[in-house]
Amino acid sequence: MAERQFLEPAMRQRATEIVKQIESHTSVEVVVSVRRASSRYLRASIRAGAAVALVAALVMVLSPTAYTTWLIPVDAALAGVLAGFVVTQWPALKRRCLSSSERMQGVAAEAAASFHRLNIAATREHTGLLVFVSLFERQVLLRPDSGINVDLLGPEYESARDALQTALQNYDAERFLLALASLAAPLASVHPRRPDDINELSDEVD
């Protein structure tokens, strides 16, 4: 499965239809936001570049081959720049240059920013729920507003959350959509749709 599936218009349209189906049973306003990455993570490229530059310099200094002294730092710097560029262009390698906590911090920060940017806290009962998807980090973060009592949603909600994460880990778009749809039951059981409910937030995937 490929990451790009999550960005295709057809996938976004299907997710939008699922959000509409969920909201036909619950007063919770579900918003799905998909990002290629939560941060540029320049530190990963800097780390890789610095490490390669240091190794290159040591190799030239310790090598039996004679190198022109002033060329050693120049060649080391060029090697570092090249390494940094490669990391920038190779997501799998960039992930390896970052700790899991750094990736999670990036996702949490961007999810918080999206929560406010999309006005999810603006619903009258504070029952907005952000499903934040960050593809580079392979992380799904569910961020509920204060009117949603997650403790009452029970194991069915936790299973849906875990299924979303597993689907993204495998870049399995079909299973992701199934997991998204499975949020309907736990949300409806605690926050059923009322006759006076109105659609306060966009159903379109952000």
Side-chain angles (χ1 to χ4, degrees):
M1 296 298 180
E3 171 185 347
R4 64 177 178 273
Q5 290 185 73
F6 286 82
L7 300 169
E8 292 175 351
M11 167 70 173
R12 298 171 75 89
Q13 182 58 40
R14 291 176 65 189
T16 295
E17 293 303 320
I18 289 173
V19 168
K20 291 178 179 179
Q21 292 172 15
I22 294 172
E23 293 182 357
S24 69
H25 300 288
T26 178
S27 60
V28 173
E29 294 278 343
V30 178
V31 178
V32 178
S33 181
V34 180
R35 291 286 172 271
R36 289 183 181 274
S38 290
S39 171
R40 294 178 64 190
Y41 297 111
L42 291 177
R43 67 177 74 95
S45 298
I46 292 172
R47 286 173 185 166
V52 169
L54 178 60
V55 170
L58 288 174
V59 167
M60 286 184 282
V61 168
L62 300 176
S63 173
T65 303
Y67 288 90
T68 304
T69 303
W70 68 268
L71 277 179
I72 292 177
V74 173
D75 288 347
L78 289 174
V81 169
L82 178 60
F85 176 77
V86 170
V87 167
T88 299
Q89 302 300 313
W90 194 350
L93 185 57
K94 182 186 284 189
R95 272 192 294 269
R96 293 183 66 87
C97 294
L98 296 162
S99 68
S100 59
S101 62
E102 285 176 317
R103 296 194 300 272
M104 283 304 302
Q105 287 172 8
V107 172
E110 185 60 22
S114 294
F115 189 91
H116 293 290
R117 177 175 56 82
L118 297 169
N119 294 319
I120 295 176
T123 63
R124 61 182 179 179
E125 301 293 333
H126 294 286
T127 52
L129 173 64
L130 173 64
V131 180
F132 184 77
V133 181
S134 199
L135 299 174
F136 167 75
E137 298 87 351
R138 296 187 180 184
Q139 290 292 331
V140 177
L141 185 63
L142 271 57
R143 187 182 174 99
D145 201 1
S146 58
I148 299 176
N149 190 330
V150 175
D151 293 335
L152 295 179
L153 296 177
E156 199 171 1
Y157 174 81
E158 295 177 3
S159 295
R161 180 191 60 201
D162 292 344
L164 286 165
Q165 179 61 44
T166 300
L168 183 61
Q169 285 283 347
N170 296 317
Y171 286 148
D172 191 329
E174 292 298 325
R175 288 188 177 276
F176 181 88
L177 292 173
L178 289 173
L180 180 63
S182 70
L183 285 170
L187 293 177
S189 67
V190 178
H191 299 280
R193 185 172 178 82
R194 301 188 303 268
D196 63 340
D197 276 335
I198 59 174
N199 195 11
E200 298 179 80
L201 299 174
S202 174
D203 299 330
E204 300 288 333
V205 174
D206 173 60

